[in-house]
Amino acid sequence: MALSARPWRLFPVGRSAAQGLRLPAGAARSRGQRVPWPLGASEVMGNSGTFKRSLLFSALSYLGFETYQVISQAVLVHAAAKVFKIEEVLAQADYLYESGETEKLYQLLTQYKESEDAELLWRLARASRDVAQLSGTSEEEKKLLVYEALEYAKRALQKNESSFAAHKWYAICISDVGDYEGIKAKIANAYIIKEHFEKAIELNPTDATSIHLMGIWCYTFAEMPWYQRRIAKVLFATPPSSTYEEALGYFHRAEQVDPNFYSKNLLLLGKTYLKLHNKKLAAFWLTKAKDYPAHTEEDKQIQTEAAQLLTGFSDKN
């Protein structure tokens, strides 16, 4: 460590004390002057009180350096232990997330809600949102969790603006909060949401989820009801807009990056093709969504919706 390699830069007292023992004799010799008498002990040492103080300062400097080394080592050990602890918590969190243990994951991460670690905070935002989505969560609890998730995501982004996941979950959480703040806030937030999804994709072009979410953004504004479009035009000179073709492009891109990564991407591919009146491809993707293995409650809901849409095909035929 650079600091421990050069302790005198932090503790200059020892060097000052050593320099205090030097006599100006050399300066006299440099001018060609002789020392007219041998130097006595008191002259070599200087004033006895000064000499004692010099020894005392030297001893204190040494003790100070030893203390510094002990403290530095303790700080390094503590920092290493803290990093290891965070890594251990993140590993546990990822395991619980993959296992669909939503409530256990939330309970684990809320123990560290005061953390300054961006990786932990965006996971906590995700966990809060996932608990809010559970069918057993009351409307009052859901609202609290949605706003709680936004705060965690905001803190994650403040801690690390280079984290694609922090950008992604911040955008998701802003979108969720919009459900409680009215159409004006929701439309205004749309610009911010798009900006953060695009930043997430820029930071990590291989993250299928960010690409999928950009597709949802496009799909949402492509199917915006006429009355909302009218409100948007009144409130904003250039309201957000998109097309089903643009949405389809993102959904396909997400599927290319990570095939079958998410049941909802399959469902939305089917629904977008329905909007574009391509029933053959709609049926293909809806069938994939219906047959997707259900790992979460959301997967089950998507299976049901896909099956209902496919049944609608059969009834019409």
Side-chain angles (χ1 to χ4, degrees), residues 45-62:
M45 295 182 181
N47 181 276
S48 61
T50 301
F51 179 65
K52 289 177 182 177
R53 284 195 297 274
S54 297
L55 287 177
L56 177 61
F57 280 126
S58 296
L60 288 173
S61 298
Y62 175 76

Side-chain angles (χ1 to χ4, degrees), residues 33-53:
Q33 298 175 359
R34 289 185 58 191
V35 179
W37 58 84
L39 295 175
S42 63
E43 290 164 319
V44 171
M45 295 182 181
N47 181 276
S48 61
T50 301
F51 179 65
K52 289 177 182 177
R53 284 195 297 274

